[in-house]
Amino acid sequence: MSDTLQSRSERALILAPHGRDATVAVQILAAAGIAAEICPDLPALVLAIGHGAGFAIVTDETLRTADLKELSRWLAQQPPWSDFAFVVLTLRGGGIERNPAARRYLDVLGNVSFLERPFHPTTLVSLAGTALRARRRQYEARARLEALRESEARYRSLFENIDEGFCIIEFLNGPHGPLSDYIHIEANPAYSIHAGIPNVVGQKVREMVPDEAEAWVALYRRVLETGEPTRFERELVATRRYLELAAFRVEPASRRQVAVVFRDVTARKQAELALRESEARLRALNADLERQVDERTRQRSRTWQVSPDLLGVANATGYVTSLNPAWEQTLGWTQEQIARTPFVDLLHPDDIGPTLAAFDKLRQGEPVLRFENRYRAKDGSYRWISWVAVPEGEEFYCSGRNVTVEKEQAAELAERRAELDRLWTLSEDMLARADYQGMMSAVSPAWTRVLGWTEAELLTRPYATFMHPDDMNRTLAALAHMSETGQPTRFENRIATQNGDWKPIEWTVAPEAEGVNFIAVGRDLSIVKAREMELAVAQDALRQSQKLEAVGQLTGGVAHDFNNLLTIIKSSTDLLRRPNLADERRRRYVDAISDTVDRASKLTGQLLAFARRQALKPEVFDVPKHVEAITDMLRTVVGARIQIITEVDAHDCFAQADVSQFETALINMAVNGRDAMNGEGKLNVTVRSMPMLPALRGHAGSPGPFVAVSVSDTGAGIPADRHSQIFEPFFTTKDIGKGTGLGLSQVYGFVKQSGGDVAVVSETGHGATFTIYLPQVEATPEEQVVQWDEAAGVSAEGRGRRVLVVEDNVEVGRFSTQLLQDLGYETTWAANAREALELLGEVDGFDVVFSDVVMPGMGGVELGEEIRRRRPGLPVILTSGYSHVLAEEGRHGFELLHKPYAAEELSRVLRRVTRR
């Protein structure tokens, strides 16, 4: 510190604007050899303190009336080493014990001494000397702190930039005993480079490498307990790296810390293992040389001996005159061989020119930093060496690091990148890198092959513009889920092709670590979707074949029943032609014809339901009622020699399933029982409500309730070893031509699709019981029975309402118009849909349209849709005996009256639609 700075930093500042106190204090301090400076006011004092001072003398009356905020702020902001001292001159009797205001000075000034006036000069000098000595100690503390900070900065720079890995570990007491674990409290960047484990600070060794932690703890604990440094080599099994380590205890021992310096010597260890046999022979043949090497090695420094880098001294002629053992370890040449060989003879031919240019720089006195070339090893291969060399007189000191492994890794990485590029180019999947703002930054060629868009088109348009509008929300939701969870997400959407089509794409998206971009892999599902459609068609054909087998079982019985019904109708019509027939007998014959038509209509309706081709359409239905309704058909199927007994133990039991498939399943079970009894026996059909589904075929039961429908026969029974096969498609025990093996497979497939199951109980000679279980549900409003007012009968309900009848069949058209007129309606008859539309365009005032479904040209459903478009408020009633359009697509929202229909039914439907 210069004299000027020292005098300023140790001067006394005096603030005593009243009287002669300031002048007297300056004279007393000057006599004691202490420089002093008078400040005119408090701001000047604060400014002077900021420029440096030893202490300050202030009068009580100045502090009493002054604003101390600036002074208090400076004192609060002074550095940690500083505690500026004040001497307050008070009036007689104004000490802190007798002056309450003095407490305020103590709180504001902190380090303060009080001196009552008048005072003796020696007292002031004593207080000044004490304050000045304290200030000098503070300056010494500042110097030590600055030196410490500079030392820490140098240490931190060395810590961060040394090539070797370095860390400090601290031992802990853990579940395995005292000092049984340690934690990394410091680690330099080279740690992860050499050890292969990043972010170790804060990690415990038993968490990092649990399988080998015990050995590492034992090694470093010995250093901690004995205080003896150690050097050793050991494999870090977790990363498969060999490390060369040095460890020493950090003092004092109570800190329980050990410092470790290490480097990765995996490449050297691998070379050592490969050359072990060669080195053994070499040692045997060159014992005298080894002794010389050992003798020379002992003369070198420890660093020279243990360094894995190639350390050497070369002369201006190009010979290495002194070198460490790392040369031989790296290149295989002995020190003598290298010493008598010009280094240029060991260079790779391509590196001779650049190396000689670097050597010329050394000759000119310039250091060479980070220069790389290849040296030929003894085995003929080349090692990449990274050199640092500096000139020193006529010699050049050099240090070379073997970077062959790094070079090979870089080459391998380049090859892997090339391989990834090939995969990117050749992949059939669409690969892309995109951001969350809606743009893609890279797309693979598969995008063009699959969709037809060019790379430029794909990268310059937001990816949302390629999506089908209906898939937008689902796609954005999937991307948001991926962003929130950080996990890969899968979804499907449709992407536009260049020719205007849409292709289904299955996507897998995964976020990148930085949270800005994500990777997308898309697979074209067009072929998969086509195969799924083919599979659906095949499954539909299988179901239809199962239905047709049941229809085939019905054919003979249905023909017999129809002949019986026709006989009744024929006989009744013949009898009605007789003259003078009594009214009572005439009504009986008419009723017989009507009842017979109802029975025939029911029979044809069931046949059409079995035979129709359509997907499963679950609906809620009353199971007991459907079982009772189909029993008559079952009697037709099984024949007259089989007695059918129906037992319903539970009423109002509803299930949700396809009614047609349910009835087909009952017929298949009945046919199976009939064949088992050879056409003669007893068939029991039972309906029960079960609280739960029992355990079946190794599957656990399920909570209910369930509706159970059982069909029991008195046949020969089924062997136990066949129970597991009977539900397989095309498996049958019947003779050739007597069964396809599809009946029970239809039963099994139906109940499984409906959320239920099927059970079989049978023993040889004791018949068989098949039970289907369907989940029981609550009745829907559609199942509630609606009671119509039948008392009105067939009456003049039309009351002049106008009906447009559309029917292509002349007989049916005449009958329909006559019937409607008898009901009181005014009718207009159109023979086809085109004529009906013309009438609607020409004539106004129709209240309802009554149309057949199956007609040449435009059918009834198309006509209804067109009327709905033109005349939204005009009701349309359709009538049909059977239509594949209605069977496959439903009623399209129109009222439907099945043929044959009665006058009461037609009247009821007309009343309902015209009241709306």
Side-chain angles (χ1 to χ4, degrees):
M1 182 182 294
S2 65
D3 294 341
T4 302
L5 291 176
Q6 183 173 5
S7 61
R8 176 182 293 180
S9 63
E10 294 185 359
R11 63 180 173 170
L13 300 176
I14 301 174
L15 178 59
H18 306 293
R20 299 183 64 254
D21 291 338
T23 304
V24 171
V26 168
Q27 294 172 351
I28 294 173
L29 294 176
I34 300 173
E37 181 179 325
I38 298 174
C39 297
D41 51 31
L42 187 60
L45 174 67
V46 173
L47 182 63
I49 293 175
H51 288 96
F55 63 96
I57 300 175
V58 186
T59 61
D60 178 21
E61 55 271 22
T62 301
L63 295 176
R64 189 181 307 117
T65 59
D67 184 356
L68 302 182
K69 289 182 181 179
E70 288 298 324
L71 178 60
S72 177
R73 184 178 296 108
W74 186 93
L75 292 173
Q77 294 176 352
Q78 62 183 323
W81 55 266
S82 175
D83 188 15
F84 193 78
F86 291 87
V87 176
V88 176
L89 303 180
T90 65
L91 298 174
R92 183 182 302 276
I96 189 172
E97 298 83 0
R98 289 164 292 178
N99 184 2
R103 173 59 60 184
R104 172 171 171 260
Y105 307 151
L106 186 62
D107 293 339
V108 174
L109 303 178
N111 185 4
V112 60
S113 300
F114 295 95
L115 180 62
E116 294 184 6
R117 291 173 291 183
F119 51 81
H120 195 276
T122 57
T123 304
L124 178 60
V125 170
S126 175
L127 287 176
T130 301
L132 197 56
R133 285 191 297 275
R135 192 60 173 171
R136 288 170 180 166
R137 287 194 297 272
Q138 293 172 21
Y139 290 146
E140 292 172 358
R142 177 181 63 185
R144 287 194 297 272
L145 285 174
E146 291 176 351
L148 179 60
R149 280 195 294 269
E150 292 177 0
S151 175
E152 287 180 348
R154 289 193 298 272
Y155 165 76
R156 179 55 59 183
S157 177
L158 176 64
F159 179 78
E160 295 291 340
N161 293 287
I162 61 172
D163 292 332
E164 286 77 9
F166 177 78
C167 67
I168 296 178
I169 59 175
E170 183 175 305
F171 274 83
L172 308 169
N173 298 329
H176 298 79
L179 304 180
S180 61
D181 199 354
Y182 61 79
I183 188 171
H184 293 76
I185 61 173
E186 284 192 58
N188 70 342
Y191 187 106
S192 61
I193 297 174
H194 290 279
I197 303 177
N199 304 321
V200 297
V201 175
Q203 293 195 51
K204 298 178 181 178
V205 68
R206 292 191 181 273
E207 297 173 352
M208 291 169 52
V209 288
D211 295 338
E212 50 185 314
E214 193 65 41
W216 290 103
V217 169
L219 286 169
Y220 293 138
R221 185 169 55 202
R222 188 178 303 113
V223 174
L224 176 66
E225 293 174 345
T226 64
E228 297 179 359
T230 184
R231 295 184 64 87
F232 61 94
E233 290 184 1
R234 183 178 180 85
E235 182 184 11
L236 181 58
V237 179
T239 58
R240 307 185 71 172
R241 297 191 184 187
Y242 283 92
L243 304 178
E244 180 182 67
L245 307 104
F248 57 90
R249 185 172 68 189
V250 177
E251 302 298 341
S254 60
R255 297 174 66 177
R256 303 200 296 186
Q257 293 179 354
V258 173
V260 182
V261 182
F262 65 94
R263 66 182 303 109
D264 181 7
V265 294
T266 305
R268 192 197 74 196
K269 293 294 290 187
Q270 292 174 344
E272 288 176 355
L273 293 174
L275 296 175
R276 183 173 295 171
E277 293 183 0
S278 176
E279 290 177 354
R281 291 194 298 269
L282 185 62
R283 285 193 298 271
L285 294 174
N286 299 284
D288 184 61
L289 181 61
E290 286 289 336
R291 285 193 297 273
Q292 294 179 25
V293 171
D294 291 341
E295 186 176 63
R296 183 175 297 177
T297 300
R298 284 192 296 271
Q299 297 173 357
R300 300 185 182 278
S301 68
R302 190 173 186 81
T303 302
W304 182 271
Q305 293 295 329
V306 301
S307 174
D309 293 338
L310 282 65
L311 305 178
V313 181
N315 58 27
T317 62
Y319 285 88
V320 180
T321 58
S322 180
L323 62 157
N324 70 336
W327 287 75
E328 183 175 352
Q329 296 169 1
T330 303
L331 301 175
W333 303 106
T334 65
Q335 295 185 26
E336 286 74 13
Q337 289 172 321
I338 294 175
R340 64 173 179 261
T341 304
F343 71 81
V344 72
D345 291 350
L346 298 176
L347 293 175
H348 190 283
D350 295 343
D351 297 337
I352 293 176
T355 303
L356 290 177
F359 195 62
D360 287 341
K361 290 179 62 177
L362 287 172
R363 288 172 174 167
Q364 296 170 11
E366 298 181 24
V368 174
L369 306 176
R370 303 297 183 187
F371 175 76
E372 294 182 354
N373 59 13
R374 286 164 287 181
Y375 268 73
R376 176 167 47 85
K378 190 173 183 180
D379 60 5
S381 62
Y382 284 89
R383 305 285 190 270
W384 277 98
I385 309 297
S386 177
W387 295 101
V388 175
V390 293
E392 183 68 29
E394 296 298 323
E395 294 182 321
F396 313 110
Y397 291 84
C398 57
S399 172
R401 174 160 300 166
N402 182 6
V403 294
T404 306
V405 175
E406 289 83 346
K407 289 287 187 179
E408 292 173 349
Q409 289 175 345
E412 182 181 358
L413 180 59
E415 176 60 27
R416 289 182 180 177
R417 287 177 177 171
E419 182 178 354
L420 290 176
D421 290 341
R422 290 193 294 271
L423 291 174
W424 178 271
T425 302
L426 300 176
S427 174
E428 292 298 324
D429 291 336
M430 299 189 301
L431 311 177
R433 185 171 187 260
D435 58 34
Y436 295 100
Q437 281 67 49
M439 299 300 293
M440 293 184 288
S441 55
V443 293
S444 67
W447 284 76
T448 303
R449 293 195 295 269
V450 174
L451 302 175
W453 301 105
T454 65
E455 181 180 9
E457 290 172 323
L458 292 164
L459 298 183
T460 54
R461 285 174 51 184
Y463 50 72
T465 62
F466 296 98
M467 298 179 196
H468 194 287
D470 295 343
D471 300 339
M472 187 75 67
N473 291 337
R474 179 170 65 253
T475 301
L476 296 179
L479 295 179
H481 179 266
M482 173 196 64
S483 177
E484 292 171 0
T485 63
Q487 298 297 319
T489 302
R490 299 184 67 178
F491 61 92
E492 290 183 17
N493 64 11
R494 287 164 289 179
I495 301 298
T497 64
Q498 203 274 340
N499 61 12
D501 294 331
W502 297 97
K503 281 200 173 185
I505 307 295
E506 179 185 53
W507 293 102
T508 300
V509 292
E512 291 189 346
E514 83 287 350
V516 176
N517 298 294
F518 61 89
I519 301 299
V521 180
R523 177 158 297 177
D524 183 5
L525 296 180
S526 300
I527 297 178
V528 175
K529 295 291 185 181
R531 290 176 179 171
E532 289 177 352
M533 291 181 64
E534 293 174 0
L535 177 61
V537 171
Q539 291 174 337
D540 180 66
L542 175 62
R543 282 195 297 270
Q544 187 67 11
S545 65
Q546 292 168 339
K547 294 177 184 178
L548 292 179
E549 181 180 9
V551 172
Q553 298 289 348
L554 290 170
T555 304
V558 168
H560 178 269
D561 282 1
F562 260 110
N563 284 331
N564 289 340
L565 297 175
L566 292 174
T567 299
I568 296 172
I569 295 173
K570 178 64 175 173
S571 299
S572 297
T573 55
D574 290 342
L575 291 171
L576 286 172
R577 289 193 180 97
R578 291 184 178 182
N580 302 320
L581 188 64
D583 290 341
E584 187 275 330
R585 294 186 65 187
R586 185 181 301 277
R587 281 195 303 272
R588 188 169 66 209
Y589 296 148
V590 171
D591 290 343
I593 292 173
S594 178
D595 293 342
T596 304
V597 170
D598 289 341
R599 292 174 60 192
S601 175
K602 179 180 179 181
L603 185 58
T604 56
Q606 291 173 325
L607 278 175
L608 292 174
F610 291 139
R612 72 178 180 232
R613 179 182 299 275
Q614 65 184 83
L616 293 180
K617 293 184 179 179
E619 58 183 286
V620 177
F621 64 94
D622 191 332
V623 176
K625 286 186 178 181
H626 276 72
V627 170
E628 291 173 346
I630 203 172
T631 300
D632 291 340
M633 182 176 288
L634 294 181
R635 291 191 175 94
T636 301
V637 172
V638 300
R641 293 192 299 164
I642 293 180
Q643 180 184 6
I644 297 181
I645 301 174
T646 303
E647 299 177 5
V648 178
D649 295 338
H651 295 278
D652 296 329
C653 289
F654 294 88
Q656 186 172 20
D658 186 283
V659 176
S660 174
Q661 289 288 310
F662 172 72
E663 294 175 349
T664 302
L666 287 183
I667 290 178
N668 283 330
M669 290 193 293
V671 169
N672 188 74
R674 179 200 67 186
D675 294 342
M677 296 184 292
N678 293 321
E680 184 174 359
K682 182 187 295 184
L683 204 65
N684 283 77
V685 182
T686 306
V687 182
R688 307 185 310 277
S689 178
M690 305 290 291
M692 67 175 295
L693 176 67
L696 300 174
R697 294 182 295 279
H699 299 289
S702 302
F706 283 82
V707 182
V709 181
S710 301
V711 178
S712 302
D713 63 67
T714 57
I718 304 172
D721 60 349
R722 298 288 182 89
H723 287 191
S724 61
Q725 298 175 279
I726 58 177
F727 296 111
E728 296 177 3
F730 305 108
F731 175 81
T732 180
T733 59
K734 302 173 186 177
D735 295 335
I736 296 176
K738 294 186 177 181
T740 63
L742 295 175
L744 291 180
S745 70
Q746 181 274 336
V747 175
Y748 181 83
F750 160 68
V751 296
K752 282 294 187 181
Q753 285 182 300
S754 302
D757 211 333
V758 58
V760 57
V761 178
S762 179
E763 294 182 14
T764 304
H766 293 83
T769 299
F770 287 86
T771 304
I772 60 174
Y773 296 91
L774 297 175
Q776 186 173 333
V777 299
E778 295 294 331
T780 59
E782 290 78 2
E783 289 294 324
Q784 305 300 323
V785 178
V786 178
Q787 298 295 332
W788 296 97
D789 183 8
E790 300 291 347
V794 180
S795 60
E797 291 290 338
R799 294 189 297 276
R801 294 183 183 274
R802 300 187 63 185
V803 180
L804 175 60
V805 179
V806 187
E807 174 60 64
D808 64 309
N809 186 285
V810 176
E811 288 77 10
V812 176
R814 290 173 179 171
F815 174 79
S816 300
T817 55
Q818 182 61 53
L819 179 59
L820 288 168
Q821 290 171 4
D822 291 343
L823 293 173
Y825 292 94
E826 297 181 14
T827 62
T828 301
W829 178 17
N832 53 56
R834 180 185 56 79
E835 184 179 339
L837 291 174
E838 290 177 355
L839 287 171
L840 286 172
E842 298 171 357
V843 180
D844 196 9
F846 288 109
D847 297 294
V848 65
V849 176
F850 181 51
S851 173
D852 189 17
V853 173
V854 180
M855 295 183 296
M858 181 184 291
V861 174
E862 295 176 88
L863 174 62
E865 295 283 4
E866 183 63 20
I867 293 173
R868 180 182 289 167
R869 187 181 66 82
R870 296 187 183 184
R871 303 275 295 274
L874 182 60
V876 177
I877 301 173
L878 301 180
T879 180
S880 177
Y882 175 74
S883 168
H884 69 91
V885 176
L886 296 176
E888 294 178 2
E889 302 178 10
R891 297 181 300 174
H892 293 259
F894 299 114
E895 290 287 343
L896 178 64
L897 187 62
H898 291 280
K899 295 179 180 179
Y901 51 81
E904 292 86 348
E905 292 177 299
L906 178 57
S907 175
R908 185 164 55 246
V909 173
L910 286 169
R911 287 200 307 270
R912 183 163 65 247
V913 299
T914 55
R915 287 174 181 173
R916 292 176 181 173

